[in-house]
Amino acid sequence: MSDKRLIKGGIIVTMDKDRRIIENGYIIVEDGLITAIGKYDDVKNELSSIDETIDATKEIILPGLICSHTHLYGILLRGAPLKIKPPTDFVQNLLEIWWRVDSALTHDDAYASALAASYEMMLSGITFFADTYSGPNSITNVLDYIEKGVNEVGIRGMLAFETTERENKEQAKKGLEENIRFIKKTTKSDKIRGMYSIHASFTVSDEHIKDVIDAQRLVPAPITIHTSEGLVDLYHNLERYGKRTVERLNDVGLLGEHTILAHTVHINNDEIELIRKTNSKVAHNPLSNMLNAVGVPPVVTMLEKNITIGLGNDGFIFDAFENIRGAFLLHKVHWRDPRVISPLTVLEMSTINGAKLYGLDNEIGSLETGKKADIVILNPKPAVTPIFEKSVIGYIVYGMTINNIDKVMVDGEILVDNGQAIKIDENKIEETLLKHSTKLWERLDIKVE
């Protein structure tokens, strides 16, 4: 017989199709699923056989937050004092920093970074993320190492190896084989699943893209690709193919409802229309775009076209609330218009729309009967203004931080309680990550003095 848990009180932000907000609500969780949700006053005298009650009075209840695009291994370079001239553009960032890091990564680095980054995301309320790993010298079975780290934390993830031909075609082939293997392995997995990832169109041939498309037809899973993040992608395609990036991807057959385009900074209206027509999806990474100074994607225009957009961190800052506010503010200042994006819009990117990107909106992304009990409870501690139906979403976007996390649940299991992880020891994470990041820094000739 399963435990039956009641969450009562508080204000529930459902993110369902009607975007219902339920004051003094209740949720019943059984076998990892939400079996009932509504107003507590309507049922408080009828509830029975409750094994555990969580009193969320004066708190905010959200669906688990979603990170639509990340690189877990990015955490290994945090604060690194690199002995290079500061890169002047995106290409130099890749050449001087990230491609050097990629080549130095080991399977153990992949595990350690997955452990630490998924832990940080969990503490900020993220219960699902989509990750792409890029390590040309650690391809075979590396996704198993990442899976192990994420499983120890307990949240959900969709994992892929990022294929590229920047060194040779054989590495791209091996990366695709690793994705196919892992997708097959995790087909029936509840928490960790596989997908396909292509680095970017400027590092792969049409032939490799077609190989990925063919693989996806035989072994279905989402496909993600960095798209016009920097001008190098656009210029490469114009020079070599006489097409803009999205035009080339469309002509080769990559666009479609199972395709997630990360970044889409340097795209024009014709490309936006191709994304819309093919029902392709977009992962927006505002803080990373600011860090790399690549520009501002036309998110506002894409939203007007009803293109589904999720919110990612690109392996930079793993705190969900910082990324939410980054998306909320960036487009206002870019357009010099405070009206262009609303608190509800960025919360949708971080919940239900993030789930839609990966075809998981029937399972996660909102609080509804029959969906997985991935739940975040926020404690305003204390509330500084009244929190009710018309104010709660603005209150979340304007005011909530990682310090307001009370509980995080995945499949009804409490992973964070009173803001503290209860399944995994933080000391183990610190010890593991410092051990491997120190060795990585040594291989990269980064001095610790």
Side-chain angles (χ1 to χ4, degrees):
M1 194 144 177
S2 64
D3 288 341
K4 189 174 183 181
R5 175 177 287 145
L6 167 68
I7 305 171
K8 69 171 186 176
I11 182 165
I12 303 175
V13 180
T14 67
M15 301 309 293
D16 66 9
K17 64 181 180 64
D18 298 318
R19 304 299 186 257
R20 285 187 306 152
I21 295 172
I22 305 170
E23 297 185 46
N24 190 29
Y26 81 98
I27 298 173
I28 292 178
V29 175
E30 295 180 83
D31 288 330
L33 299 176
I34 296 171
T35 58
I37 184 171
K39 290 190 72 69
Y40 182 60
D41 288 342
D42 294 341
V43 297
K44 64 182 180 181
N45 296 322
E46 303 171 12
L47 293 174
S48 61
S49 303
I50 299 298
D51 297 294
E52 180 184 1
T53 297
I54 296 173
D55 189 348
T57 302
K58 296 186 178 180
E59 295 190 299
I60 301 168
I61 306 167
L62 283 172
L65 301 176
I66 290 172
C67 173
S68 294
H69 181 79
T70 190
H71 304 284
L72 301 176
Y73 69 91
I75 202 169
L76 292 164
L77 213 63
R78 181 176 292 171
L82 301 170
K83 295 197 305 181
I84 60 172
K85 291 182 179 179
T88 60
D89 60 24
F90 175 64
V91 178
Q92 287 188 10
N93 264 334
L94 292 178
L95 292 171
E96 298 298 325
I97 302 174
W98 290 110
W99 288 355
R100 288 181 59 222
V101 172
D102 292 352
S103 296
L105 291 171
T106 68
H107 289 76
D108 288 336
D109 294 331
Y111 161 73
S113 59
L115 186 71
S118 55
Y119 175 78
E120 283 201 5
M121 286 192 285
M122 176 188 69
L123 288 179
S124 73
I126 292 173
T127 57
F128 171 83
F129 65 85
D131 171 67
T132 69
Y133 174 82
S134 179
N137 296 314
S138 55
I139 299 176
T140 304
N141 296 326
V142 72
L143 296 179
D144 294 345
Y145 285 74
I146 299 172
E147 177 188 32
K148 180 177 184 292
V150 180
N151 275 335
E152 289 182 28
V153 174
I155 63 174
R156 303 185 196 281
M158 190 165 278
L159 313 179
F161 186 89
E162 188 178 277
T163 61
T164 176
E165 295 175 302
R166 72 173 186 257
E167 293 185 8
N168 56 66
K169 293 182 181 296
E170 185 60 28
Q171 285 182 345
K173 181 181 177 182
K174 286 180 65 178
L176 178 54
E177 290 172 350
E178 172 66 2
N179 286 329
I180 294 169
R181 179 196 69 80
F182 192 74
I183 293 166
K184 288 179 177 178
K185 172 191 169 183
T186 57
T187 297
K188 296 181 180 180
S189 173
D190 180 54
K191 286 185 179 176
I192 306 296
R193 302 178 190 179
M195 64 176 177
Y196 299 94
S197 172
I198 302 170
H199 169 250
S201 65
F202 70 93
T203 63
V204 295
S205 62
D206 282 356
E207 288 71 26
H208 179 66
I209 297 174
K210 290 176 182 177
D211 286 344
V212 175
I213 295 169
D214 289 343
Q216 198 271 346
R217 289 190 183 118
L218 292 172
V219 185
I223 304 173
T224 187
I225 180 171
H226 297 89
T227 305
S228 286
E229 179 180 2
L231 284 168
V232 61
D233 202 4
L234 172 61
Y235 292 161
H236 169 87
N237 289 303
L238 287 172
E239 180 180 356
R240 183 163 298 188
Y241 299 93
K243 304 172 184 178
R244 297 179 68 89
T245 307
V246 177
E247 292 172 337
R248 178 187 165 203
L249 297 180
N250 181 65
D251 288 350
V252 81
L254 185 64
L255 299 189
E257 62 179 338
H258 302 298
T259 300
I260 301 95
L261 308 176
H263 299 291
T264 62
V265 176
H266 301 285
I267 61 173
N268 66 11
N269 288 335
D270 289 343
E271 292 174 288
I272 291 172
E273 186 61 17
L274 286 173
I275 295 170
R276 185 196 68 80
K277 283 182 177 179
T278 58
N279 198 26
S280 301
K281 314 296 193 299
V282 171
H284 177 36
N285 302 274
L287 296 186
S288 171
N289 293 160
M290 287 188 268
L291 173 71
N292 291 319
V294 293
V296 180
V299 164
V300 172
T301 304
M302 288 190 282
L303 288 171
E304 291 171 351
K305 297 285 186 178
N306 293 318
I307 291 170
T308 304
I309 302 176
L311 185 63
N313 61 44
D314 203 34
F316 174 36
I317 292 175
F318 295 96
D319 184 330
F321 295 104
E322 286 200 45
N323 286 280
I324 286 171
R325 268 187 285 280
F328 183 58
L329 298 174
L330 175 60
H331 303 284
K332 295 175 184 295
V333 71
H334 175 69
W335 287 93
R336 299 185 184 181
D337 184 346
R339 302 166 297 177
V340 296
I341 197 163
S342 70
L344 176 60
T345 297
V346 293
L347 196 58
E348 288 171 335
M349 289 182 191
S350 304
T351 53
I352 188 62
N353 284 353
K356 287 178 180 178
L357 260 64
Y358 294 94
L360 298 173
D361 48 306
N362 288 327
E363 301 179 36
I364 60 174
S366 62
L367 300 177
E368 301 180 66
T369 301
K371 284 198 173 184
K372 296 182 184 297
D374 293 3
I375 300 170
V376 174
I377 301 178
L378 302 174
N379 186 342
K381 44 173 174 179
V384 295
T385 57
I387 302 175
F388 57 104
E389 181 180 354
K390 292 184 178 179
S391 72
V392 64
I393 292 177
Y395 200 99
I396 293 166
V397 174
Y398 284 110
M400 292 293 94
T401 72
I402 193 170
N403 294 322
N404 295 108
I405 294 287
D406 179 2
K407 291 178 175 59
V408 176
M409 300 167 61
V410 173
D411 280 335
E413 179 185 6
I414 298 175
L415 302 179
V416 176
D417 192 17
N418 196 28
Q420 302 296 314
I422 60 174
K423 180 179 177 180
I424 190 165
D425 183 3
E426 184 177 291
N427 292 327
K428 176 193 174 179
I429 293 175
E430 182 175 312
E431 179 182 341
T432 302
L433 195 65
L434 280 176
K435 173 184 174 182
H436 292 291
S437 63
T438 301
K439 289 181 179 179
L440 175 66
W441 284 26
E442 289 173 357
R443 294 195 296 275
L444 295 169
D445 195 28
I446 302 172
K447 301 298 182 184
V448 180
E449 298 174 334

